[in-house]
């Protein structure tokens, strides 16, 4: 099996994550889609590290994880705040900027 | 370098499952199901990391993502309402078509890029991870990327603070003191409320659940001893039914074995001695939910 | 001239200006004594002028032209204009005329406007009028003259529309102002041309250089300058084709009419042309046009005058005609300048007298102006009748009244020359004299002679308005008497030994005496015969026979003359309507093309924005889709470029 198959898997996961962001309305699910995309890139990083024989890729994946953790904290806090004031977790209800 | 046969087997087993799980995220009606699917994908990824000579990342993946991030997600889901099923009807005109089209297009483009690109022959990490994977990682992380790591530390602290600040609820009124609470309690008597805490649920020989009312000194059940929610839902049990059930138990032979049954020689008067004995409020000082509600 | 008296020149303008400022800014608290302050300001100005005149009479002729420069007014690159006052025989003549007649009119107005609540404001305007006119004649440059010119226009507007409670009066004021603007445009263009040709607008620079300018700038430019000056003069002096405002200007109080017609305003045009004499001489074509305009207006005014029943409008037509004489004289070159000013001076006296007399008659007849309802007033208003009679004889040119000396000189000068000109201009002037005699006699006879056509309240006067004629108070009669004396004697006194012509020579230059194409005695005889014929005709028609109280149906010419020879219709057809069409077309073009274009552009952008706004629906997912789409496009482009 070619190692590049991992990259194909990463691409598919990334696309599914993006589709989730576009199609789902529950903010938490959308957020999970974002996480899925991040994870897909991590897989690509790890695979590339293996291809090039350089652990820097893994280090970058590590950083991605850390940043994703921070992002999750802030993002979920925002979702909770919005839920408190609007009693809804749908991203479509947060459209006050329109027109 | 190609992967070994074992790894190939692992990949071909795991990858379709992961894709299926990811599609589960996309299509699951309930957010909790989606979260479970994502967790499966993440664990799968962790396994793949290990398979790809990155055991440290695999562990971190399990710890950070499945252990922390996804737990946080579930926590928030509980908070927001776990029952809320996502309506799958689309409200934005054309959004579904755009989403599907763009998602498929993205997949095609990315796969096309991967398929078209020429990769150098894979080197493998055997050389880079001469000692162990964590050591190699640590050398890079604390050597080349030490500044970035410090900055990421600051970022984490900031994010923690942000989480606190964002979810902080500002108190809009003065916090009531004990004196105020006591005064409110006394004032509530006129409205038919009780000065003392409400009675605890009944405790019977074989039953001390919340849905069973206690019996008052007069032998009548006290409705207030059952939490209000259960009463409203109609889930409270009748005290007489419980008593009757215990009566039948008392009649059974096995009780006789321990010398309390009617055949123990003594002419016992079960009804006289009264299962009511332990009945009534136990006088516990614990407040139940309702008393809290009353004060508010 | 001594420096001390020369330095008095600014006070000639300042004194009435201060009077006007006090009266107009002082408000109601000056109501009680304001009119006397106005009279005082005017009289004081006259005294200052008199001092200067006496001083000038004591100076030799060649030193009589002087400029008193107060300071620099405009200093802007090539344009340098001083604030200076030209003091010479010409300007002093005007100063004396304006202040003397003006003061008499002020005195007259004290009584005439006695019952008007706005008398103080009226005197403020009168003082402003005098100040503006004095600035006009004393200016040492065309630009400063223009300031006075505009001031006169403003004051006339304010005074003609003084009783602006009635719409006609306000409209008349506006009409005068607008028609004056046309003339002002001529003066502005003339100043621009002067600046371009001579690099200066001051008299001292321009006038002596006129001859050289003609050779340098070309005949066409000089003709243009001359015609533009003529246009300006036509506007102010009510000459063809800008004559229409004068008749309507009668809407103002009668003293205003006297002031406009005798001393200020209409004489400004003549002054401008005489002052610009060298420029006109450098442009013979323009000069000829001046003479033609003068001759035409002379006849026009005379014809209109014969048909008017309104006493003031008849006098207004007469003014137009008399100013026509002056313009004709001014168009004859140096020969005529002195006579133009001479006639202006005598005319100032007798026309002021006539107008004040008319005011007195109106005063007696409850402000009625219809002469067909007058008649037989001579016995009831003796002073008015005598003073007006003297003015009448003076304007007729009957010897030895002052009009004889001035008008006959103009007729004489009109006959000087070669070719067709003397015959055309001369015969016109002669004819004009005859018609003048007819219509002025008509006016006099209809007013003072014949049977009365009004009612004294007794029986037998069916339908006639009831009047109680009485002589005016002394404040009104004395100025009339003084003016009548001037009408009688001034001409003779100044004509003896060509005194006035010699007096003006430092400004107009010495003109060689030319013999007219007909002998002088014949001209005088012809004139007098025509005048006598005019008087006789009028006497038969209006003194002997009964005057119908309603205008009889008459021939075409009379009917045309009654409506001012259709001057308003002509103006409307030739100027107003096309102007309206032009502005309408321009407005339409502006709306459709310019506004339409820009508004269309703006509307298009607005509509585009409204379309684009729908993209901003506020949904995060839409934005995410857009971003992803954009990313896809970028990826495709990069891909295409790379492969």
């Amino acid at each position: 099996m070619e190692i590049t198959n991992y990259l194909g898997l990463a691409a598919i996961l990334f696309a599914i994550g993006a589709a989730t962001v576009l199609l789902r309305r529950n903010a938490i699910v959308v957020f999970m889609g974002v996480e899925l995309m991040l994870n897909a890139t991590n897989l690509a990083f790890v695979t590339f590290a293996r291809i090039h024989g350089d652990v820097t890729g893994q280090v970058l994946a590590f950083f991605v994880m850390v940043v994703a953790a921070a992002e999750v904290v802030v993002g979920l806090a925002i979702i909770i705040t919005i839920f408190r004031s609007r009693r809804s977790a749908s991203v479509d209800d947060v459209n006050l900027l329109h027109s | 370098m190609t992967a070994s046969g074992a790894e190939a087997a692992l990949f071909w087993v795991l990858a379709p499952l992961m894709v299926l799980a990811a599609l589960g995220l996309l299509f699951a009606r309930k957010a909790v199901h989606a979260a479970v699917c994502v967790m499966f994908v993440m664990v799968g990824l962790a396994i793949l990391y290990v398979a790809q000579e990155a055991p440290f990342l695999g562990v971190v993946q399990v710890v950070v993502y499945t252990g922390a991030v996804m737990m946080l997600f579930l926590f928030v889901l509980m908070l927001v309402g776990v029952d809320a099923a996502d309506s799958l009807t689309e409200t934005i005109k054309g959004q579904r078509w755009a989403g599907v089209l763009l998602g498929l297009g993205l997949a095609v483009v990315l796969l096309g890029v991967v398929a078209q690109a020429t990769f150098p022959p894979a080197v493998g990490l055997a050389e880079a991870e001469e000692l162990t994977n964590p050591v190699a990682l640590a050398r890079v992380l604390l050597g080349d990327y030490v500044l970035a790591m410090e900055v990421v530390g600051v970022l984490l602290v900031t994010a923690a603070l942000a989480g606190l600040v964002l979810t902080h609820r500002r108190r809009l009124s003065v916090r009531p003191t004990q004196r105020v609470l006591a005064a409110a309690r006394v004032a509530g008597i006129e409205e038919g409320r009780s000065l003392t805490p409400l009675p605890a649920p009944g405790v019977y020989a074989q039953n001390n659940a919340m849905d069973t009312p206690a019996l008052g000194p007069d032998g009548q059940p006290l409705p207030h001893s059952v939490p209000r929610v259960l009463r409203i839902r109609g889930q409270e049990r009748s005290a007489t039914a419980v008593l009757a059930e215990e009566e039948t138990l008392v009649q059974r032979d096995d009780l006789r074995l321990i010398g309390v049954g009617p055949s123990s020689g003594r002419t016992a008067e079960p009804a006289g001695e009264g299962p009511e004995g332990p009945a009534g409020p136990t006088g516990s000082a614990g407040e139940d939910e309702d008393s809290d509600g009353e004060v508010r | 001239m001594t420096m001390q008296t020369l330095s008095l020149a600014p006070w000639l303008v300042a004194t009435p200006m201060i009077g006007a400022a006090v009266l107009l800014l002082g408000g109601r608290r000056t109501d009680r004594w304001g009119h006397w302050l106005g009279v005082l300001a005017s009289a004081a100005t006259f005294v200052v002028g008199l001092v200067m005149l006496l001083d000038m009479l004591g100076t030799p002729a060649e030193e009589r032209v002087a400029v008193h420069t107060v300071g620099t007014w405009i200093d802007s690159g090539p344009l340098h204009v001083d604030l200076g006052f030209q003091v010479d025989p010409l300007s002093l003549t005007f100063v004396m005329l304006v202040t003397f007649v003006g003061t008499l009119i002020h005195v007259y107005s004290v009584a005439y406007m006695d019952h008007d609540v706005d008398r103080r404001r009226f005197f403020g305007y009168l003082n402003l009028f005098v100040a503006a006119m004095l600035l006009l004649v004393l200016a040492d440059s065309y630009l400063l003259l223009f300031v006075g010119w505009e001031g006169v226009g403003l004051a006339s507007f304010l005074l003609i529309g003084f009783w602006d409670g009635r719409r006609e009066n306000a409209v008349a004021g506006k009409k005068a102002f607008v028609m004056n603007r046309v003339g002002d445009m001529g003066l502005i263009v003339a100043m621009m041309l002067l600046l371009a040709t001579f690099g200066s607008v001051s008299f001292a620079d321009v006038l002596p250089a006129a001859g050289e300018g003609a050779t340098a700038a070309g005949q066409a430019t000089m003709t243009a300058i001359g015609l533009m000056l003529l246009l300006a003069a036509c506007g102010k002096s009510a000459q063809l084709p800008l004559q229409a405002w004068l008749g309507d200007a009668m809407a103002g109080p009668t003293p205003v009419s006297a002031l406009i017609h005798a001393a200020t305003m209409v004489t400004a045009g003549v002054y401008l042309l005489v002052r610009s004499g060298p420029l006109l001489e450098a442009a013979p074509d323009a000069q000829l046009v001046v003479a033609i305009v003068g001759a035409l207006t002379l006849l026009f005014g005379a014809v209109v005058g014969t048909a008017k029943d309104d006493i003031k409008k008849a006098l207004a037509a007469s003014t137009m005609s008399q100013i026509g004489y002056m313009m004709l004289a001014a168009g004859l070159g140096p020969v005529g300048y002195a006579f133009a000013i001479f006639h202006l001076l005598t005319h100032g006296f007798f026309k002021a007298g006539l107008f004040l007399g008319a005011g007195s008659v109106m005063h007696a007849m409850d402000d009625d102006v219809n002469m067909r309802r007058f008649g037989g007033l001579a016995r009831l208003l003796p002073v008015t009748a005598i003073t007006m009679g003297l003015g009448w004889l003076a304007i007729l040119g009957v010897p030895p009244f002052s009009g004889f000396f001035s008008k006959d000189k103009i007729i004489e000068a009109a006959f000087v020359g070669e070719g067709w000109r003397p015959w055309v201009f001369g015969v016109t002037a002669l004819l004009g004299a005859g018609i003048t005699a007819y219509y002025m006699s008509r006016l006099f006879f209809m007013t003072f002679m014949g049977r009365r056509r009004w009612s004294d309240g007794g029986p037998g006067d069916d339908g006639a308005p009831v009047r109680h004629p009485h002589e005016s108070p002394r404040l009104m009669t004395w100025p009339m008497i003084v003016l009548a004396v001037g009408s009688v004697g001034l001409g003779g006194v100044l004509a003896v030994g060509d005194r006035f012509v010699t007096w003006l020579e430092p400004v107009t230059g010495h003109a060689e005496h030319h013999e007219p194409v007909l002998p002088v005695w014949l001209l005088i005889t012809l004139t007098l015969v025509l005048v006598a014929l005019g008087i006789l005709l009028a006497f038969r028609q209006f003194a002997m026979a009964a005057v119908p109280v309603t205008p009889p149906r008459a021939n075409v010419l009379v009917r045309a003359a009654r409506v001012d020879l259709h001057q308003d219709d002509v103006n409307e057809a030739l100027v107003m309507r096309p102007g309206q069409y032009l502005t309408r077309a321009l407005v339409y073009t502006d709306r459709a093309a310019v506004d339409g274009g820009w508004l269309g552009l703006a509307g298009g952008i607005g509509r585009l924005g409204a379309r684009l706004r729908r993209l901003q629906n506020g949904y995060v997912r839409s934005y995410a889709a857009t971003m992803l789409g954009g990313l896809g496009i970028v990826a495709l482009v990069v891909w295409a470029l790379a492969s």
Side-chain angles (χ1 to χ4, degrees):
Chain A
M1 185 195 79
E2 288 296 326
I3 295 177
T4 49
N5 286 0
Y6 287 110
L7 296 178
L9 177 62
I12 291 170
L13 290 181
F14 189 91
I16 292 174
T20 308
V21 172
L22 293 186
L23 292 173
R24 297 302 295 265
R25 268 181 296 170
N26 189 328
I28 299 167
V29 177
V30 169
F31 210 3
M32 285 194 279
V34 174
E35 292 302 317
L36 189 60
M37 289 158 82
L38 286 171
N39 274 296
T41 53
N42 276 355
L43 179 60
F45 270 130
V46 171
T47 310
F48 280 123
R50 192 178 177 199
I51 290 175
H52 294 289
D54 188 345
V55 288
T56 309
Q58 292 185 17
V59 171
L60 286 182
F62 177 76
F63 278 130
V64 169
M65 284 179 191
V66 179
V67 173
E71 175 219 345
V72 164
V73 170
V74 177
L76 288 178
I78 290 173
I79 288 172
I80 287 176
T81 314
I82 291 173
F83 180 78
R84 262 190 209 151
S85 60
R86 305 189 70 82
R87 289 283 139 200
S88 162
S90 168
V91 288
D92 284 359
D93 289 342
V94 192
N95 62 348
L96 292 180
L97 276 181
H98 105 109
S99 59
Chain B
M1 173 186 160
T2 51
S4 63
E7 191 187 343
L10 180 69
F11 178 81
W12 286 120
V13 170
L14 217 45
L17 289 177
M18 281 164 65
V19 171
L20 274 180
L23 288 174
L25 164 70
L26 186 53
F27 294 114
R29 277 179 66 84
K30 290 202 172 187
V32 177
H33 297 173
V36 171
C37 288
V38 171
M39 258 186 265
F40 179 85
V41 175
M42 283 172 176
V43 173
L45 280 173
I47 296 170
L48 288 186
Y49 290 167
V50 175
Q52 294 220 70
E53 303 170 65
F56 179 71
L57 269 190
V59 173
V60 171
Q61 169 84 3
V62 171
V63 172
V64 171
Y65 270 114
T66 41
V69 171
M70 287 320 292
M71 285 311 114
L72 204 55
F73 265 107
L74 282 177
F75 190 71
V76 171
L77 271 176
M78 302 292 176
L79 208 62
V80 166
V82 81
D83 289 340
D86 204 3
S87 162
L88 288 182
T89 48
E90 186 56 61
T91 49
I92 307 175
K93 202 174 143 195
Q95 176 71 21
R96 174 158 290 175
W97 286 108
V100 170
L101 215 63
L102 285 171
L104 284 177
L106 190 63
V108 170
V109 169
L110 290 176
L111 286 173
V113 168
V114 170
Q116 262 203 342
T118 337
F119 295 101
V123 179
L125 290 166
E127 198 180 329
E129 298 174 354
E130 205 174 353
L131 299 167
T132 54
N133 169 257
V135 171
L137 265 183
R139 289 221 167 116
V140 179
L141 194 60
L142 301 177
D144 297 349
Y145 291 93
V146 68
L147 182 65
M149 210 186 78
E150 298 292 338
V151 173
V152 160
V154 174
L155 175 73
L156 279 177
V157 174
T158 315
L161 272 177
L164 283 177
V165 170
L166 279 172
T167 52
H168 177 72
R169 220 195 280 234
R170 188 170 297 178
R171 179 174 283 283
L172 297 173
S173 55
V174 181
R175 186 190 179 92
T177 59
Q178 268 195 321
R179 179 182 294 274
V180 174
L181 292 174
R185 226 172 238 279
V186 173
I189 294 174
E190 287 177 10
E191 298 167 26
R193 292 188 187 168
S194 157
L195 184 62
T196 54
L198 292 172
V203 176
Y204 299 89
Q206 288 204 319
N207 204 316
N208 64 349
M210 296 280 278
D211 57 353
T212 325
L215 297 178
D218 54 353
Q220 294 301 311
L222 298 170
H224 285 294
S225 57
V226 178
R228 197 165 53 109
V229 176
L230 294 182
R231 267 184 279 138
I232 291 171
R233 283 183 183 169
Q235 288 176 335
E236 65 176 321
R237 294 171 72 188
S238 149
T240 44
V242 174
L243 282 175
E245 193 180 323
E246 301 218 337
E247 286 282 345
T248 54
L249 281 175
V250 169
Q251 301 294 331
R252 281 169 62 175
D253 291 344
D254 46 356
L255 283 178
R256 226 175 292 137
L257 295 177
I258 55 171
V260 291
S263 55
S264 63
R266 282 175 59 201
T267 317
E269 289 181 312
E273 238 174 74
E276 295 99 325
T282 50
S284 92
E287 284 184 24
D288 70 20
E289 309 93 313
D290 275 13
S291 71
D292 195 21
E294 272 170 10
V295 170
R296 281 189 195 140
Chain C
M1 266 202 92
T2 56
M3 289 305 290
Q4 284 85 353
T5 43
L6 191 61
S7 61
L8 285 174
W11 288 104
L12 286 173
V13 180
T15 314
M17 193 59 93
I18 291 168
V22 170
L23 289 175
L24 293 179
L25 302 177
R28 298 241 166 260
R29 72 197 72 137
T30 60
D31 269 356
R32 220 152 34 83
W33 42 266
H35 44 283
W36 289 116
L37 179 74
V39 174
L40 183 70
S42 185
T45 318
F46 171 69
V47 172
V48 174
L50 195 62
V51 169
M52 295 179 74
L53 178 71
L54 292 176
D55 190 53
M56 188 177 280
L57 286 173
T59 12
E62 53 273 16
E63 293 172 22
R64 282 180 181 172
V65 178
V67 173
H68 176 66
T69 305
V70 176
T72 301
W73 180 26
I74 296 172
D75 190 8
S76 158
L79 177 64
H80 181 92
V81 184
D82 279 335
L83 186 63
F85 292 91
Q86 176 101 19
V87 180
D88 57 22
L90 180 59
S91 59
L92 261 193
T93 306
F94 268 90
V95 168
M96 293 316 293
L97 174 69
V98 171
T99 53
F100 185 68
V101 177
T103 305
L104 290 177
I105 292 171
H106 272 76
V107 173
Y108 179 92
S109 304
V110 170
Y112 189 85
M113 302 293 286
D114 194 22
H115 301 298
D116 200 295
V117 288
D118 270 338
R119 183 162 64 163
R120 170 191 50 88
R121 186 160 64 89
F122 181 77
F123 274 86
Y125 292 160
L126 281 189
N127 272 356
L128 181 66
F129 210 158
V130 170
M133 189 64 193
L134 289 176
L135 182 62
L136 194 160
V137 296
L138 283 168
D140 78 329
S141 66
Y142 282 100
L143 201 58
L144 193 56
L145 178 145
F146 188 68
V147 175
W149 190 270
E150 291 296 303
V152 168
L154 169 69
S156 66
F157 166 74
L158 293 171
L159 284 169
I160 291 170
F162 185 73
W163 287 322
D164 53 5
R166 291 186 59 202
R167 190 178 160 75
E168 303 94 277
N169 298 348
V171 169
K174 195 171 75 179
K175 186 174 178 183
F177 198 68
V178 169
M179 298 208 76
N180 267 295
R181 292 247 74 76
V182 181
D184 296 344
M185 203 46 77
L187 189 50
I188 291 172
V189 174
M191 280 196 289
M192 289 175 184
L193 287 170
L194 286 174
L195 201 60
T197 313
F198 299 99
S200 171
V201 288
S202 80
F203 296 144
D205 294 337
V206 171
L207 297 181
E212 303 155 30
T215 50
Q219 198 58 44
T221 313
M222 295 310 290
T223 307
I225 294 175
L227 289 179
M228 284 300 126
L229 287 174
L230 173 64
L231 182 64
C234 285
K236 268 292 178 275
S237 294
Q239 299 295 292
L240 284 171
L242 299 176
Q243 83 290 358
W245 65 269
L246 194 67
D248 290 356
M250 293 302 111
T254 309
V256 174
S257 309
L259 200 56
I260 288 180
H261 288 242
T264 57
M265 192 83 181
V266 292
T267 58
V270 180
Y271 170 80
L272 179 70
L273 289 185
V274 171
R275 178 60 84 187
S276 314
L279 286 173
L280 287 176
E281 279 151 39
D285 293 341
Q287 206 175 15
L288 179 63
V289 177
V290 172
I292 292 172
V293 165
L296 282 178
T297 315
L298 184 168
L299 278 183
F300 185 96
V303 170
V304 170
T306 55
K308 285 288 177 187
D309 292 330
D310 180 327
I311 185 167
K312 285 178 75 181
K313 292 210 167 160
L315 284 174
S318 143
T319 303
M320 199 189 293
S321 172
Q322 297 302 312
I323 301 283
Y325 270 109
M326 299 172 209
M327 297 286 277
L328 173 61
L332 293 174
V335 189
Y337 294 152
F339 300 131
I341 299 298
F342 190 21
H343 191 52
L344 194 154
L345 193 59
T346 55
H347 173 259
F349 275 82
F350 56 68
K351 186 49 66 66
L354 285 168
F355 262 113
L356 295 189
S360 177
V361 172
M362 286 162 60
H363 185 75
M365 301 294 282
D366 297 345
D367 281 338
D368 192 4
V369 290
N370 186 3
M371 292 192 289
R372 291 190 185 277
R373 284 296 181 188
F374 292 172
L377 287 173
R379 253 178 302 125
L380 293 161
L381 309 172
V383 181
T384 308
I386 290 170
T387 52
M388 267 191 98
L390 293 175
W392 163 56
L393 292 174
I395 197 172
L396 256 50
V398 175
F401 298 101
S402 56
F404 169 74
F405 298 100
S406 53
K407 198 197 274 182
D408 270 24
K409 285 292 182 189
I410 293 179
I411 296 173
E412 213 174 284
F415 270 105
V416 174
E418 296 150 2
W420 56 272
R421 289 186 197 180
W423 296 104
V424 173
F425 293 144
V427 169
T428 311
L430 255 182
L431 217 58
I435 305 175
T436 305
Y438 172 73
Y439 72 75
M440 284 311 293
S441 307
R442 173 176 175 271
L443 186 150
F444 186 77
F445 293 147
M446 278 176 93
T447 307
F448 293 106
M449 315 284 266
R451 290 173 52 82
R452 64 181 167 89
R453 296 178 294 279
W454 42 272
S455 164
D456 58 359
D461 295 314
D462 296 333
V466 179
R467 308 284 185 218
H468 302 286
H470 54 91
E471 188 54 275
S472 302
R474 285 202 189 139
L475 271 179
M476 284 168 72
T477 51
W478 272 107
M480 287 153 62
I481 293 168
V482 174
L483 287 170
V485 171
S487 316
V488 174
L490 190 66
V493 170
L494 293 180
V496 173
D498 280 345
R499 213 182 272 172
F500 190 73
V501 178
T502 321
W503 156 254
L504 279 182
E505 254 172 22
V507 181
T508 59
H510 183 70
E512 288 303 317
H513 186 71
H514 295 283
E515 281 305 315
V517 288
L518 291 175
V520 175
W521 62 266
L522 183 60
L523 289 177
I524 293 175
T525 317
L526 272 175
T527 312
L528 290 179
V529 166
L530 276 172
V531 166
L533 271 175
I535 296 174
L536 263 179
L537 199 61
F539 189 71
R540 267 195 52 201
Q541 243 180 311
F542 301 105
M544 303 292 288
V547 179
V549 291
T550 49
R553 201 181 147 69
N555 59 37
V556 180
L557 185 62
V558 174
R559 266 182 287 152
R562 277 181 189 151
V563 289
D564 300 308
L565 294 177
H566 299 292
Q567 60 183 11
D568 290 337
D569 298 335
V570 169
N571 281 347
E572 279 182 20
L574 284 184
V575 181
M576 198 188 90
R577 294 270 154 66
Q580 279 180 340
Y581 291 139
L582 182 67
T583 44
R584 266 178 219 156
L586 285 177
V587 166
Y588 178 77
T589 317
D590 186 54
R591 292 244 171 87
V594 181
D595 285 7
W598 291 112
L599 288 179
L601 186 62
I605 288 173
R607 279 191 289 279
L608 185 67
R611 288 277 162 76
L612 287 176
R613 196 173 60 109
R614 298 206 186 141
L615 293 180
Q616 294 288 336
N617 54 10
Y619 293 117
V620 181
R621 293 188 297 143
S622 281
Y623 298 157
T626 316
M627 279 169 66
L628 195 54
L631 194 69
I633 290 169
V634 170
L636 281 178
V637 169
V638 170
W639 200 4
L641 288 179
S643 58

